[in-house]
Amino acid sequence: GAVVSQHPSRVICKSGTSVKIECRSLDFQATTMFWYRQFPKKSLMLMATSNEGSKATYEQGVEKDKFLINHASLTLSTLTVTSAHPEDSSFYICSARRAGVNNEQFFGPGTRLTVL
Amino acid sequence: EDQVTQSPEALRLQEGESSSLNCSYTVSGLRGLFWYRQDPGKGPEFLFTLYSAGEEKEKERLKATLTKKESFLHITAPKPEDSATYLCAVQADTGGTSYGKLTFGQGTILTVHP
C-alpha cells in the first residue's frame, strides 16, 4: 500500500515559537504533496501545494511567510508554522500524490498543533 | 470555482440498515472524484476514485457510483465499525503548479448503532 507518515503527531508550543511538521511518503515517490488544515467537525481546507524542487503554491488567504513549506526530496515535505499564535491551533494533514497510478492521493495521519 | 456539497450532514443507521450518501459537485472539467473515510483524530483513508459518468466501484459493504453531477456512496448492511465521517472530493482537469489539488465537501458523519 501507499503509506504517508507525519511527525510529530501532537505538539504543544508557546505563543511566538515556530513549529516544524514533517510529511513523508514511505513507500513511493511523491512529486507533489499537499498541506491541509482541518478545524473541529469541519472539512479539509487546502493550504498549499508543494512541488519537489520548486516553491510552494499557496491558496488564497494563506500567509506564505507564516506557513513555510519546503519539499526538498521526492519523499519529504515540511511545514513550518512561524511565530505561532493560539489561532494557529488546528489539525494539519498532508497528502502525497502518487504520480502515474490513477493520480491517487494518500493522506498522513495528521498533526494536532496546540498553541498556548 | 469548484464546489462539492455532501448530504446529509449526519446519518444515523441501525446495523444492517442500508442507505446512501450523496455528493453533488460542480467542476470545470472533472479529472477524478474521490471518496475517503476519516475516523476522529486521524487522516482520511482512501476508498475510491471514479473518473467518468457511469463508473462504479465496490469494496466490501461500500459501492460508489458517478454521474455527471453527483456521486453516491451506497452502504449495504452497515456495521458499527463503518461509523466514520465520509468525505467526497473532486479533482479538476487543470494543470499548473496546483495540479492534482482536491476540493473537499464538508463530509457526512455516519453513525451505525448495533
Side-chain angles (χ1 to χ4, degrees):
Chain A
V3 180
V4 177
S5 70
Q6 277 184 246
H7 177 79
S9 58
R10 292 176 179 270
V11 57
I12 301 173
C13 68
K14 293 182 178 180
S15 185
T17 61
S18 295
V19 174
K20 180 185 283 188
I21 303 170
E22 292 186 348
C23 176
R24 293 181 184 271
S25 56
L26 299 184
D27 52 1
F28 66 99
Q29 293 185 332
T31 54
T32 307
M33 290 184 173
F34 302 87
W35 287 95
Y36 294 84
R37 185 172 179 176
Q38 187 174 34
F39 292 100
K41 297 186 178 181
K42 299 291 184 182
S43 192
L44 283 74
M45 293 189 62
L46 180 66
M47 298 174 65
T49 303
S50 169
N51 292 294
E52 187 265 338
S54 62
K55 291 184 178 180
T57 301
Y58 291 82
E59 294 298 300
Q60 192 172 9
V62 178
E63 299 176 59
K64 61 180 181 181
D65 293 331
K66 181 168 187 62
F67 298 99
L68 301 179
I69 292 173
N70 183 275
H71 193 160
S73 76
L74 289 173
T75 59
L76 173 64
S77 176
T78 60
L79 168 68
T80 301
V81 183
T82 63
S83 187
H85 291 283
E87 57 264 32
D88 299 323
S89 299
S90 190
F91 194 50
Y92 292 88
I93 309 175
C94 73
S95 72
R97 184 173 71 88
R98 188 166 64 176
V101 186
N102 296 326
N103 207 29
E104 294 165 345
Q105 278 189 41
F106 298 90
F107 285 80
T111 297
R112 172 72 60 191
L113 170 63
T114 303
V115 185
L116 303 176
Chain B
E1 184 178 337
D2 303 334
Q3 287 192 328
V4 180
T5 303
Q6 291 186 246
S7 62
E9 290 187 11
L11 180 63
R12 292 176 177 270
L13 299 174
Q14 287 296 126
E15 185 172 2
E17 179 186 3
S18 302
S19 188
S20 297
L21 312 181
N22 177 265
C23 171
S24 298
Y25 65 91
T26 56
V27 63
S28 54
L30 180 69
R31 183 174 182 85
L33 184 140
F34 297 74
W35 281 98
Y36 290 88
R37 168 191 170 130
Q38 186 176 26
D39 293 303
K42 297 187 178 181
E45 174 189 346
F46 173 77
L47 294 175
F48 304 108
T49 309
L50 301 168
Y51 296 98
S52 59
E55 188 175 0
E56 299 182 352
K57 288 190 177 176
E58 289 188 64
K59 179 181 179 181
E60 296 181 351
R61 295 178 292 281
L62 300 176
K63 178 180 178 180
T65 62
L66 180 65
T67 72
K68 289 185 178 180
K69 294 183 179 181
E70 57 190 352
S71 176
F72 290 94
L73 183 65
H74 307 276
I75 303 176
T76 302
K79 298 181 178 181
E81 52 262 42
D82 294 322
S83 297
T85 296
Y86 289 85
L87 298 167
C88 169
V90 296
Q91 186 178 80
D93 192 10
T94 56
T97 52
S98 294
Y99 175 75
K101 64 180 279 187
L102 297 178
T103 300
F104 279 86
Q106 75 276 27
T108 293
I109 302 172
L110 174 66
T111 305
V112 182
H113 296 283

